[in-house]
Amino acid sequence: VIRRAVAHKKQNDIRLVDYYQYETYSRIELQMNNLTEKFKKNKALKKLNKQIEGLQKRANDSSEASLPVFISETISDFYFRTSPESKKEVIKATKITGVGVEDGSVVSQFLGPSFQQFNFYENAISILNKEFISPLTSAWKINYRYILDDTVDVNGHECYEFELIPKREQDLAFRGKIWITTDSLAALKKVDLVINKDANLNFIEKIHVIQEWNPTNSTPWYVAKTDITIDIESITKSAPSMRIKSSASNKNIILNKSQVSNFYEYQTEVLEDSQTHGNDFWNENRHDSLSAEEKVSLALVDSLRNLPAVRSYVDIVYFIVDGCLLYTSPSPRDKRQ
């Protein structure tokens, strides 16, 4: 099965077509996690403890309290040309709520689909300036063990479910599961993969990537949804840790529709009315409705944004994010964001 999947990589990869485009909804949230007792005892924060606990109960969340400090939502049209390779994002709507985020900062630029672009049909995936071995690398026999767990249905597609284990601990490799269709093309339907602390990424505790593909009306498959969670270590023993949660969904894909020659001159275009949309627009145009946890986050972030204790800590975290989360997969962003 793996041999067949590797042999059909080019045929299943969306880059087989000359042009493609789709609409993307993306959401990014930064949370403060594992709140220490010292941090909880801050006078300003203690005033919100009851509100935090009450909102978490409504979300049926029994885990440790977490504080959302930044949330962005973006709806954009994404365009790709294979040769010469070019990308463009037209941001149609954007909504940002957060602590200490300024235009032009690294965090403010993690909007739209570029943040979520991992192509598992390549031999290596670039994350934080390190090359991680793809589950479908041409040298798959050398790098991974594949354990066939079951044959399961994944959103209407019969798939082989594999557990993925690196053969050598020192390799920059993923752990987790992959799902490959049982038909003759052996397309990658879904991955659920983790990079742990032993990968030696500065300040990074764990990276968790879930990605799912859907077929086009032609041969290739396209990325329908991506969820990425990045856990950042505590800066000191008394400080909370940080989590970045990023998700993107794509729909309304169009294949082989060419654009005028200068269309890709600017990689990012922001429509003038992109920041004018109200709650009714977002409720209608999100690709999925908000979960209970996401509603809790939106309710909390406005209450937290002006607390000095939260702002000072987040300023430090953004400094670290600025230094260690500049990896090579996103394209350069237009400062107009």
Side-chain angles (χ1 to χ4, degrees):
V1 174
I2 302 300
R3 185 181 294 110
R4 188 162 67 241
V6 171
H8 286 88
K9 284 200 301 181
K10 185 175 181 180
Q11 195 170 355
N12 291 323
D13 190 345
I14 188 64
R15 293 175 300 175
L16 176 69
V17 302
D18 293 329
Y19 302 88
Y20 65 86
Q21 63 191 70
Y22 46 63
E23 182 184 86
T24 292
Y25 166 77
S26 63
R27 173 186 171 89
I28 297 174
E29 179 176 341
L30 273 71
Q31 299 175 343
M32 298 168 68
N33 290 338
N34 303 318
L35 305 182
T36 62
E37 289 304 315
K38 180 178 179 181
F39 191 84
K40 290 179 183 178
K41 289 178 181 178
N42 180 278
K43 291 182 179 180
L45 192 62
K46 284 175 70 175
K47 296 177 182 178
L48 291 175
N49 279 345
K50 289 183 179 180
Q51 181 185 1
I52 294 169
E53 291 172 4
L55 286 168
Q56 287 193 317
K57 286 179 181 178
R58 286 169 54 192
N60 297 317
D61 185 358
S62 59
S63 62
E64 285 275 338
S66 62
L67 299 181
V69 295
F70 170 83
I71 296 173
S72 76
E73 295 182 277
T74 304
I75 296 174
S76 58
D77 288 330
F78 180 75
Y79 301 83
F80 184 89
R81 179 179 63 189
T82 301
S83 183
E85 183 173 312
S86 305
K87 303 173 185 178
K88 181 165 184 175
E89 177 188 357
V90 178
I91 296 177
K92 301 187 291 186
T94 183
K95 179 183 179 183
I96 299 175
T97 306
V99 179
V101 180
E102 299 178 355
D103 289 343
S105 69
V106 172
V107 173
S108 73
Q109 294 178 48
F110 284 161
L111 303 172
S114 294
F115 185 74
Q116 294 88 357
Q117 286 182 356
F118 297 108
N119 189 340
F120 285 95
Y121 284 114
E122 296 180 338
N123 286 329
I125 315 296
S126 183
I127 302 176
L128 299 172
N129 291 318
K130 291 190 177 184
E131 299 292 317
F132 288 82
I133 303 167
S134 170
L136 294 187
T137 175
S138 301
W140 59 276
K141 278 187 176 182
I142 298 172
N143 294 288
Y144 286 108
R145 290 177 57 215
Y146 303 81
I147 301 174
L148 179 59
D149 288 338
D150 204 350
T151 303
V152 297
D153 181 272
V154 182
N155 291 331
H157 296 270
E158 188 180 57
C159 297
Y160 295 115
E161 178 182 284
F162 287 92
E163 184 178 354
L164 187 72
I165 302 173
K167 285 190 173 181
R168 294 175 298 275
E169 291 293 331
Q170 68 271 24
D171 284 351
L172 292 176
F174 297 94
R175 292 179 178 271
K177 291 195 173 185
I178 63 173
W179 289 261
I180 295 173
T181 61
T182 60
D183 59 20
S184 60
L185 288 178
L188 198 57
K189 172 59 181 171
K190 184 179 178 180
V191 300
D192 187 340
L193 301 172
V194 171
I195 298 170
N196 290 317
K197 187 177 180 179
D198 52 14
N200 198 26
L201 297 171
N202 291 336
F203 300 104
I204 302 300
E205 188 80 25
K206 184 173 74 172
I207 299 176
H208 185 191
V209 180
I210 301 175
Q211 195 164 70
E212 186 170 343
W213 289 257
N214 282 341
T216 64
N217 55 14
S218 183
T219 302
W221 290 56
Y222 72 98
V223 175
K225 189 170 183 180
T226 303
D227 293 298
I228 303 170
T229 303
I230 301 175
D231 288 326
I232 302 175
E233 293 178 335
S234 299
I235 301 168
T236 66
K237 291 183 179 180
S238 61
S241 59
M242 206 74 176
R243 172 172 289 172
I244 300 175
K245 298 175 67 176
S246 172
S247 64
S249 62
N250 307 317
K251 68 178 186 179
N252 302 331
I253 187 165
I254 299 173
L255 303 181
N256 290 321
K257 182 179 179 180
S258 62
Q259 305 292 334
V260 295
S261 58
N262 63 347
F263 178 77
Y264 296 95
E265 183 178 355
Y266 298 102
Q267 292 190 1
T268 304
E269 178 183 343
V270 183
L271 300 187
E272 290 184 1
D273 63 347
S274 63
Q275 299 183 32
T276 63
H277 303 289
N279 290 333
D280 290 342
F281 169 88
W282 288 101
N283 291 335
E284 183 178 344
N285 288 277
R286 289 186 183 103
H287 289 187
D288 294 306
S289 57
L290 294 178
S291 66
E293 182 184 358
E294 289 168 340
K295 290 177 181 178
V296 167
S297 297
L298 283 172
L300 272 175
V301 71
D302 274 331
S303 300
L304 295 167
R305 64 189 304 177
N306 294 318
L307 292 181
V310 176
R311 291 187 64 89
S312 60
Y313 176 74
V314 172
D315 284 344
I316 296 172
V317 171
Y318 285 166
F319 176 78
I320 293 176
V321 170
D322 197 14
C324 74
L325 294 186
L326 284 173
Y327 55 87
T328 59
S329 55
S331 303
R333 313 286 290 176
D334 188 320
K335 292 296 184 182
R336 288 176 294 172
Q337 292 182 57

